[in-house]
Amino acid sequence: MDTIHLIDTSIELPSLFTYPFCYEPHPLCQEAASAVQTYIDSQPMLKEDADQGKMFGVLVVEATDDNLRQSSCQTAFLAAYSGLLAGRNDWPWFVPPVFDAQEPNGYFKTHEAQISCINHRIDQLEEALSAMYQDDDYLRTKTIVAQLISQHEQKMKASKMLRDLRRMQHHIPPEENAMLVRESQFMKAEMRRIKKHCEVMESPWKEKEENLKHEISLLKQKRHADSDSLQRWLFSQYRLLNARGEEKDLLTVFKDYYPADSQLSSAIPPAGSGDCCAPKLLQYAYQHHLKPVCMAEFWWGRSPKAEVRHHFNYYPACRSKCLPILSWMMQGLDVESNPMDEPMAVAPIDELIVYEDDCLAVVNKPAGVLSVPGKIGRPSIEEMLRQHWHDDTTPMIVHRLDMETSGLMVVAKTKGTYVSLQKEFLEHRVEKTYVALLEGIPQGKAPEGVISLPLMPDISNRPCQMVDAVHGREAVTTYEMLGEEVGRMRIRLRPQTGRTHQLRVHCAHEQGLGMPILGDELYGHHDNRLFLHAETLTFVHPRTGERLRFVQPSAF
């Protein structure tokens, strides 16, 4: 088969299958990825599209029947791309999709075309509505109506002022007062007549407007219902296998993965679910009796504007779409454990406390330790302090550092201290500086400056953050390059805001420094740690009013 490619079997096979959400690519996967990259380079049409940015994946497999044994080789690899490549999902050399929704006359394309027709009709109606608002007759009518009402309102206001002045005079005759009342009633009646006349003038336009809006509303309701129905039908066609030969459709996979009381248990899977590299690769392997050995995914081409992706970098599988899918499809495989769940040795908390009094403590958090308890089995500063102080309520985490980041953080021991320090942080009166090592030397960047890139969570790939000028929250960082160290740049960073992963994205994103922090496996490459350290922390002591400054040099 031209989708099964032989691979060098002199490399030792791993004993466990890749944990796809946190991994180091196996040498076999690296060799397979190199072969994919060579192939893409040789195909101008594919390369042109891939250069715009595309995720590719490789799966090393072993034969479980005679389909590969006949060629005297039992180890090979499969290749895949996420979504479409150059408008197609059926390119030879790569595995096919789990389900082909691209057939021109198939159910999906036929109904998708019907929804497109609804979209086209909505566009026509909205254009007609917009054209009506710009029509000369419509605008003239609106102007006349506004003038008639405005003129009479001014007339009523002037008349009322004269009546009020007359009434302020003493001893006006009863008949004159009655005349003033009749005048007021007449003016109000006249306003009602004017408004009625205006309604008649506007009625053709109002009727047209209401008809257009009503039709648009009905079409949007139909579009939503039809889209939802079509999406559910589509996901029901994705019949996903696992290593035991069991099968579930995509809707059932998501429903079974999330607890019944979760909002996600009845939610439709995200768009594009089942079309990522990993599900395609495993599905093809199971269908052709191939044993999955190891897997990896890499990025080719330009980085998206919002996300951080680097050419040829390896990336974990996305969680929003692939976590439920791969959790099902890997059942029956012996899979590596999640490295984040592995226990780690941590120095005793009393060795990490830099300063302590009856109000607060300053702690030097090691890399790999959480600030607060999380879902993974890693120790946290909060838990360690609670055990150290033998108090379930005392440790109040004022601010957090990412698990991978080391350095100084302040912890409150009283509610009053916590509130006071929180206010200092909110008012940006706390000064923090970080030191980092970048993977390389930023090109074309000033030695110091300000990075302002608004950030928001990447919903489809948590916990990553993405740049979004419209919906992102303001994120500002000042930086200062300190010097080169064997092809890497040491840099000082001062966050002016406190967004999640702010420093990491601002360094890695092409609109920032364009160079990831060394060891940043989310936005760059894996290393033995993330080379980011909170070096200084300055704040006013809530009780004494003294300005305290702490310095903790990095260990790298």
Side-chain angles (χ1 to χ4, degrees):
M1 303 180 199
D2 61 0
T3 51
I4 301 177
H5 314 288
L6 304 185
I7 197 169
D8 180 7
T9 54
S10 65
I11 300 174
E12 185 178 353
L13 272 61
S15 58
L16 298 172
F17 185 69
T18 310
Y19 178 74
F21 303 101
C22 184
Y23 66 90
E24 275 294 293
H26 189 273
L28 282 168
C29 286
Q30 292 177 327
E31 183 171 322
S34 179
V36 175
Q37 292 156 11
T38 300
Y39 179 77
I40 296 170
D41 260 330
S42 71
Q43 304 293 315
M45 184 183 296
L46 302 188
K47 183 178 182 303
E48 181 181 3
D49 189 61
D51 284 346
Q52 305 308 308
K54 177 64 64 176
M55 192 72 78
F56 290 86
V58 292
L59 175 67
V60 177
V61 294
E62 281 190 299
T64 57
D65 60 15
D66 293 334
N67 58 352
L68 282 179
R69 295 179 193 277
Q70 294 173 0
S71 63
S72 72
C73 178
Q74 297 182 29
T75 307
F77 74 88
L78 309 173
Y81 47 85
S82 289
L84 303 177
L85 181 61
R88 287 174 51 181
N89 63 4
D90 60 349
W91 289 104
W93 208 85
F94 296 96
V95 301
V98 175
F99 174 74
D100 185 3
Q102 298 301 310
E103 187 180 345
N105 298 318
Y107 182 93
F108 182 80
K109 281 297 182 183
T110 301
H111 285 72
E112 186 181 50
Q114 293 173 1
I115 293 172
S116 295
C117 288
I118 295 175
N119 284 331
H120 180 63
R121 179 58 182 157
I122 290 172
D123 289 343
Q124 287 180 325
L125 293 170
E126 288 180 337
E127 286 173 7
L129 190 61
S130 179
M132 187 197 81
Y133 292 145
Q134 304 302 319
D135 185 279
D136 288 343
D137 289 340
Y138 172 83
L139 294 173
R140 190 178 302 110
T141 301
K142 297 294 285 186
T143 301
I144 292 171
V145 165
Q147 287 176 344
L148 287 173
I149 293 175
S150 175
Q151 287 170 0
H152 194 70
E153 282 177 341
Q154 303 217 348
K155 194 174 179 182
M156 288 177 68
K157 186 176 180 181
S159 297
K160 183 177 185 304
M161 187 165 52
L162 291 173
R163 289 195 302 273
D164 290 344
L165 287 171
R166 180 67 183 134
R167 285 176 175 135
M168 289 172 64
Q169 299 176 9
H170 297 292
H171 310 300
I172 64 170
E175 57 271 17
E176 185 177 350
N177 186 58
M179 182 189 70
L180 295 176
V181 171
R182 286 195 300 273
E183 180 183 280
S184 174
Q185 291 171 340
F186 174 79
M187 298 291 283
K188 290 177 181 177
E190 185 65 13
M191 175 58 88
R192 288 194 292 270
R193 285 191 291 272
I194 289 172
K195 286 184 175 179
K196 188 70 175 175
H197 175 64
C198 289
E199 286 177 7
V200 172
M201 291 176 63
E202 289 185 303
S203 62
W205 300 108
K206 288 278 188 184
E207 183 179 357
K208 183 177 181 181
E209 181 183 45
E210 289 172 2
N211 288 339
L212 286 170
K213 286 184 174 180
H214 181 65
E215 188 174 354
I216 290 170
S217 176
L218 291 177
L219 285 171
K220 285 184 174 180
Q221 291 175 30
K222 179 172 174 54
R223 179 180 64 184
H224 177 77
D226 288 357
S227 296
D228 185 75
S229 176
L230 182 60
Q231 192 78 306
R232 289 184 180 278
W233 175 88
L234 176 63
F235 288 144
S236 72
Q237 305 307 301
Y238 282 72
R239 310 290 302 180
L240 299 165
L241 296 166
N242 64 17
R244 301 191 190 105
E246 301 164 333
E247 187 180 73
K248 281 184 184 179
D249 69 56
L250 198 52
L251 292 169
T252 306
V253 166
F254 272 76
K255 178 177 178 295
D256 291 349
Y257 181 80
Y258 292 106
D261 59 350
S262 167
Q263 290 183 341
L264 295 171
S265 63
S266 59
I268 198 166
S273 295
D275 289 325
C276 295
C277 298
K280 290 182 179 181
L281 292 166
L282 289 174
Q283 184 80 353
Y284 187 89
Y286 296 147
Q287 288 173 335
H288 294 82
H289 310 290
L290 303 169
K291 179 186 175 183
V293 174
C294 54
M295 183 167 61
E297 296 182 56
F298 67 89
W299 183 261
W300 177 293
R302 187 177 302 137
S303 176
K305 288 184 178 180
E307 301 170 80
V308 177
R309 293 282 186 267
H310 296 283
H311 189 49
F312 287 179
N313 268 25
Y314 292 92
Y315 289 94
C318 65
R319 287 183 166 268
S320 65
K321 293 184 280 191
C322 287
L323 183 57
I325 294 172
L326 298 186
S327 297
W328 162 252
M329 297 189 80
M330 292 190 303
Q331 288 184 22
L333 295 178
D334 292 327
V335 182
E336 296 171 344
S337 61
N338 181 356
M340 292 295 101
D341 291 337
E342 295 175 3
M344 64 175 294
V346 183
I349 188 64
D350 54 356
E351 295 181 17
L352 302 179
I353 296 175
V354 174
Y355 170 86
E356 182 179 3
D357 59 26
D358 57 350
C359 292
L360 55 86
V362 176
V363 179
N364 179 28
K365 186 186 84 67
V369 173
L370 295 164
S371 296
V372 297
K375 295 180 180 179
I376 61 176
R378 288 292 180 93
S380 72
I381 292 298
E382 182 179 305
E383 290 172 315
M384 294 168 70
L385 287 174
R386 183 172 293 132
Q387 294 171 10
H388 177 66
W389 289 332
H390 306 291
D391 190 331
D392 286 342
T393 60
T394 292
M396 300 179 202
I397 304 299
V398 180
H399 65 120
R400 303 181 187 186
L401 296 177
D402 290 344
M403 180 182 72
E404 298 89 347
T405 304
S406 60
L408 296 170
M409 56 185 292
V410 61
V411 181
K413 298 176 77 172
T414 68
K415 182 67 175 177
T417 302
Y418 174 80
V419 172
S420 180
L421 287 171
Q422 277 275 294
K423 186 178 180 182
E424 282 195 60
F425 272 95
L426 289 171
E427 294 175 353
H428 305 292
R429 291 187 285 121
V430 177
E431 295 178 9
K432 296 180 290 180
T433 67
Y434 293 73
V435 66
L437 274 181
L438 303 185
E439 284 188 2
I441 309 301
Q443 300 300 311
K445 305 294 181 181
E448 58 183 55
V450 179
I451 302 167
S452 180
L453 294 173
L455 301 177
M456 66 174 291
D458 185 348
I459 303 300
S460 65
N461 195 26
R462 291 184 182 275
C464 292
Q465 304 294 302
M466 59 193 293
V467 175
D468 191 308
V470 177
H471 303 104
R473 298 177 68 190
E474 181 187 32
V476 179
T477 304
T478 61
Y479 71 89
E480 176 189 0
M481 296 186 191
L482 302 176
E484 296 184 25
E485 299 181 9
V486 196
R488 292 168 178 151
M489 177 61 73
R490 182 174 288 266
I491 190 169
R492 179 171 290 120
L493 300 160
R494 291 183 175 86
Q496 308 302 307
T497 51
R499 309 300 175 219
T500 302
H501 293 182
Q502 176 176 319
L503 302 181
R504 298 165 69 173
V505 176
H506 280 184
C507 287
H509 198 276
E510 59 183 8
Q511 295 177 29
L513 294 179
M515 186 61 63
I517 296 172
L518 182 64
D520 190 347
E521 59 187 32
L522 287 180
Y523 307 103
H525 296 88
H526 175 80
D527 209 291
N528 61 355
R529 64 157 290 175
L530 175 68
F531 286 75
L532 176 63
H533 176 79
E535 187 176 51
T536 70
L537 179 65
T538 307
F539 59 90
V540 174
H541 194 288
R543 187 188 63 194
T544 67
E546 180 185 1
R547 190 158 184 81
L548 303 178
R549 184 173 188 269
F550 300 93
V551 180
Q552 185 70 40
S554 69
F556 54 82

